[in-house]
Amino acid sequence: MLNFKEILPDKQSLERIAALYCTCFNAPEKGENWTMESALTYFRERIAEGSIFAGVEDEGALSGICCGGPYERSFLARDLGRDYPGHFYISLVAVTEEARGRGLGVFMVNAFCAMAAAQGFTGAIVRCRAENTAMLAVLARAGFTEIERYSAELGGVTCERVVLRKGLSF
């Protein structure tokens, strides 16, 4: 049975999260240029926005991680300039290469949305690279639908981003 649980962002946990992030997003298909320092800075900014972290561990190793918080406090709200009252912004869903293809992404997204709904959020927003068809399929299976596209830079790469939304209930 998979155990998806909140992870308190202490120094050790943030370093584990940043290491997974660097591995996933510096992969050849992504081509981003994250260092441990830049990833840790990114996650400290998410903490300042009120984000929470949750993930799945397999034998002590982090297999997947989600990060998110109130949409109105997120960098995406500033980028888009649109209001989505009561929405939770999922800023990260990452699964190690070894754990992919087993439904972990859908499981984590659904569990993270349930956490957000339990906190009173009425909807969830997420963004994804347009060419990341695997994650777009995960998000579709989790009930998200596309609401817009825009171009943005993150990790040294500018690309088209897809913004998706899902209503939440608890």
Side-chain angles (χ1 to χ4, degrees):
M1 173 112 188
L2 294 174
N3 185 19
F4 184 78
K5 63 180 182 177
E6 188 169 348
I7 298 172
L8 298 178
D10 60 25
K11 184 179 186 305
Q12 181 181 5
S13 294
L14 275 183
E15 287 175 357
R16 293 175 64 209
I17 292 165
L20 186 149
Y21 188 79
C22 288
T23 299
C24 289
F25 289 90
N26 289 343
E29 70 273 9
K30 301 269 190 318
E32 296 183 12
N33 60 3
W34 294 96
T35 63
M36 278 297 287
E37 183 178 319
S38 64
L40 286 168
T41 297
Y42 175 80
F43 289 118
R44 286 184 193 108
E45 291 169 355
R46 303 297 69 80
I47 292 167
E49 293 173 349
S51 289
I52 59 171
F53 299 82
V56 172
E57 290 187 354
D58 184 17
E59 296 182 23
L62 198 56
S63 297
I65 189 74
C66 291
C67 172
Y71 170 80
E72 69 272 2
R73 293 183 61 188
S74 73
F75 69 91
L76 184 63
R78 292 185 300 277
D79 285 355
L80 297 179
R82 287 174 187 62
D83 290 332
Y84 291 100
H87 279 63
F88 185 82
Y89 171 53
I90 301 173
S91 57
L92 171 65
V93 177
V95 177
T96 62
E97 188 172 351
E98 306 81 47
R100 292 181 191 156
R102 297 186 286 166
L104 184 58
V106 174
F107 170 79
M108 289 190 335
V109 168
N110 284 332
F112 208 42
C113 286
M115 288 175 77
Q119 292 182 18
F121 289 94
T122 58
I125 301 278
V126 64
R127 76 173 190 169
C128 179
R129 284 178 172 215
E131 74 268 10
N132 190 344
T133 56
M135 183 52 69
L136 288 171
V138 164
L139 295 169
R141 284 194 298 276
F144 283 83
T145 56
E146 181 177 333
I147 57 173
E148 71 179 277
R149 290 176 181 240
Y150 75 108
S151 182
E153 185 275 333
L154 187 62
V157 174
T158 299
C159 61
E160 184 178 22
R161 309 279 178 172
V162 179
V163 180
L164 304 105
R165 181 191 174 283
K166 170 184 177 171
L168 300 179
S169 60
F170 54 101

